Amino acid sequence: MAEAKKLFIKTYGCQMNVYDSERMAEALGASGYVTTTSADDADMILLNTCHIREKAAEKVYSELGRFKALKAANPDLKIGVAGCVAQAEGEEIMRRQPLVDLVVGPQTYHRLPAMEKAVRAGARAVDTEFPEEDKFEHLPRGPRAGRGPTAFLTVQEGCDKFCAFCVVPYTRGAEVSRPVARILGEARDLVARGVREITLLGQNVNAYHGAGENGDWGLARLIRDLAKIEGLERIRFTTSHPNDMEDDLIAAHGDEPKLMPYLHLPVQSGSDRILKAMNRKHTAESYVRLIERLRAARPDLLLSGDFIVGFPGETDQDFEDTLALVRKVGYGQAYSFKYSARPGTPAAERAGVPDEVASERLQRLQALLTEQQYAAQDAMIGREVLVLFEKPGRETGQMVGKSEYLHAVHVTDPTVQIGQIARVRVTGRTSNSLAAELV
Ligand code: 5AD
Ligand code: SF4
């Protein structure tokens, strides 16, 4: 048998990309590739790119430029660009960077083996179509080597919301949900390989409506069926839109014990004027009411969110409204960004706020969110939580895992095993994680 070729994948951006990179590795595994952790000895380098934030394409071009020496040293080295920048730039990548052999959009990874063959034969291959077929159904199910106790599982892709700032509806296309049976099959497969926690992924995951028994199933029904899988202990999902938070999903947070008490529910802004300009189709008030209902179902729910400051037209008052909403809701953890124009999106046509103003707002918002995060972590001290241990920590003898609330928790105890769910008492906080001891 020929020696295995080495594949190096560098993944940027969201968890969907992490999942996709694993699937690409499996697809190319069937073509004789094994993954390597270094670009230096690779026969193929794939950049799985993200287009969500500023200068994404420029960063990819500068990263590609750095592979010049590698390609000079190894003329057989093939270089590919995948993901959302590939989708957005398409053939332009080939024109601007002659080093690139292959450009593949997020919807056509299952065609990678054929593209790889063409590329090995000396061609340059581009595929950024939105095909009818489900890319995941056409990927080989390889052994997932070295798999830990947690896994991502993509159940839905694309987005029909068209928030005015966002490229996702253009790079990932319209909302598509995978059929229930496929998801259940993949989940059982993961559990058989030792996975105890699954995070269901989708750009708009709570809009999930996949073909199941007797018609379309929503996310809540899917979660309830997944929860029946023996050995699967924890279920999470991300990312959600407030308008798709249906009654049965709210109820599931209250009565499905395997659904973890953590929810990432982006609001983006606390100003109704800005929410309207963003085409979010909800108000600050309706979001707050939704949070109240979720907390009525699950009082200890830890909330996470996304915020954008400096959106075109945002006044001081609009920004104050965002701070007010953050104070009202109380987040355990959150992401905040300075608005940056994405070419092709409606907001890109509008005049932005001055950069110094946006930077100052971002600083103030982040200070408040960090304060809330620390307060939420400090509130855990003295409490008992269940931790799923995932890997050794930085210090010797240390193990780290996640609480139900997705807090990183570390203990120093030689008896703790990877994959174990153990009850621990939180003893302290170290900036971003919690220290604990076994109970
Ligand atoms: N500028 C800044 N932040 C953005 N996000 C999406 N598009 C932009 C943009 N153009 C943020 C949103 C989204 C998260 C994934 O990235 O907050 O929820
Ligand atoms: Fe982008 Fe999310 Fe809005 Fe869809 S709902 S357009 S993915 S920010």
Side-chain angles (χ1 to χ4, degrees):
M1 209 178 109
E3 204 185 318
K5 289 169 282 184
K6 294 204 178 105
L7 170 68
F8 174 72
I9 305 186
K10 184 162 176 180
T11 309
Y12 301 81
C14 67
Q15 292 142 332
M16 309 266 308
N17 270 10
V18 175
Y19 180 87
D20 284 350
S21 290
E22 286 181 16
R23 300 293 82 72
M24 286 194 272
E26 284 172 9
L28 288 171
S31 309
Y33 283 85
V34 294
T35 52
T36 171
T37 52
S38 138
D40 297 339
D41 65 346
D43 300 291
M44 163 136 11
I45 296 175
L46 278 180
L47 299 183
N48 192 7
T49 60
C50 169
H51 202 252
I52 201 104
R53 274 179 290 278
E54 205 164 7
K55 301 197 181 77
E58 291 317 309
K59 283 177 195 152
V60 171
Y61 285 116
S62 81
E63 179 85 30
L64 287 167
R66 274 182 256 149
F67 296 138
K68 199 166 185 166
L70 285 179
K71 196 134 177 172
N74 175 12
D76 289 337
L77 171 65
K78 301 297 177 192
I79 294 177
V81 181
C84 292
V85 173
Q87 189 66 42
E89 296 276 294
E91 289 195 31
E92 177 64 16
I93 299 183
M94 298 275 193
R95 273 194 288 276
R96 272 189 63 179
Q97 183 45 274
L99 289 176
V100 173
D101 302 285
L102 183 159
V103 174
V104 58
Q107 314 308 325
T108 47
Y109 295 147
H110 54 294
R111 297 181 183 164
L112 261 177
M115 293 175 80
E116 190 269 347
K117 225 168 163 178
V119 160
R120 284 279 158 219
R124 299 177 90 192
V126 179
D127 193 338
T128 53
E129 271 185 53
F130 285 99
E132 283 293 304
E133 73 266 18
D134 177 344
K135 69 183 188 195
F136 299 119
E137 308 312 322
H138 294 80
L139 290 174
R141 184 61 43 76
R144 298 186 184 182
R147 148 138 324 294
T150 63
F152 295 128
L153 201 175
T154 294
V155 302
Q156 179 277 335
E157 272 197 284
C159 181
D160 296 342
K161 293 282 187 294
F162 291 93
C163 297
F165 51 81
C166 185
V167 286
V168 166
Y170 311 97
T171 58
R172 293 274 175 162
E175 272 175 31
V176 181
S177 295
R178 298 178 67 199
V180 170
R182 301 289 183 163
I183 295 165
L184 291 174
E186 193 168 330
R188 283 192 203 99
D189 191 57
L190 287 167
V191 171
R193 291 163 201 269
V195 167
R196 307 190 74 189
E197 171 178 311
I198 291 180
T199 301
L200 306 176
L201 297 180
Q203 259 95 29
N204 221 326
V205 72
N206 59 342
Y208 176 84
H209 53 95
E213 251 170 71
N214 314 319
D216 269 12
W217 288 26
L219 188 65
R221 183 142 181 222
L222 179 69
I223 288 170
R224 288 186 195 282
D225 245 56
L226 284 165
K228 290 181 196 149
I229 298 176
E230 211 176 310
L232 178 62
E233 306 297 342
R234 296 175 154 197
I235 301 168
R236 306 179 186 277
F237 61 89
T238 197
T239 273
S240 299
H241 190 284
N243 289 7
D244 293 314
M245 215 64 214
E246 309 249 319
D247 294 351
D248 56 353
L249 190 53
I250 296 174
H253 274 285
D255 60 25
E256 178 42 68
K258 290 187 181 179
L259 182 58
M260 291 292 104
Y262 173 96
L263 180 64
H264 183 238
L265 196 61
V267 64
Q268 314 295 0
S269 167
S271 153
D272 287 344
R273 231 173 51 79
I274 293 300
L275 287 169
K276 194 155 199 276
M278 287 176 164
N279 192 32
R280 287 288 295 179
K281 304 187 182 86
H282 61 77
T283 62
E285 165 82 25
S286 69
Y287 180 85
V288 170
R289 271 205 312 269
L290 176 60
I291 300 299
E292 283 166 0
R293 290 178 56 213
L294 281 155
R295 284 193 167 136
R298 181 79 202 220
D300 60 344
L301 189 71
L302 189 138
L303 271 171
S304 165
D306 289 347
F307 297 89
I308 295 176
V309 301
F311 187 77
E314 187 185 69
T315 63
D316 285 337
Q317 185 54 52
D318 293 321
F319 176 64
E320 292 300 330
D321 291 348
T322 297
L323 294 178
L325 178 124
V326 170
R327 286 193 198 97
K328 202 167 196 172
V329 169
Y331 289 88
Q333 193 269 337
Y335 305 93
S336 47
F337 314 99
K338 201 157 70 171
Y339 168 74
S340 81
R342 291 281 79 86
T345 59
E349 312 292 312
R350 307 174 199 163
V353 311
D355 191 57
E356 320 82 73
V357 175
S359 295
E360 201 249 352
R361 287 178 189 166
L362 184 64
Q363 247 177 35
R364 282 180 64 200
L365 175 61
Q366 289 185 337
L368 175 61
L369 290 168
T370 306
E371 188 186 302
Q372 291 193 344
Q373 178 187 320
Y374 287 168
Q377 287 172 317
D378 288 342
M380 300 305 294
I381 295 174
R383 280 182 57 185
E384 289 182 10
V385 288
L386 289 167
V387 173
L388 170 56
F389 287 96
E390 292 172 24
K391 55 181 185 223
R394 242 174 281 152
E395 281 154 45
T396 38
Q398 213 178 49
M399 280 288 218
V400 286
K402 297 277 162 56
S403 74
E404 301 97 311
Y405 309 99
L406 210 58
H407 284 128
V409 180
H410 55 88
V411 302
T412 304
D413 191 307
T415 64
V416 174
Q417 304 282 318
I418 289 174
Q420 181 187 353
I421 296 178
R423 184 170 290 280
V424 305
R425 183 176 298 106
V426 179
T427 54
R429 165 170 70 79
T430 54
S431 74
N432 274 317
S433 64
L434 297 173
E437 56 195 22
L438 284 194
V439 182

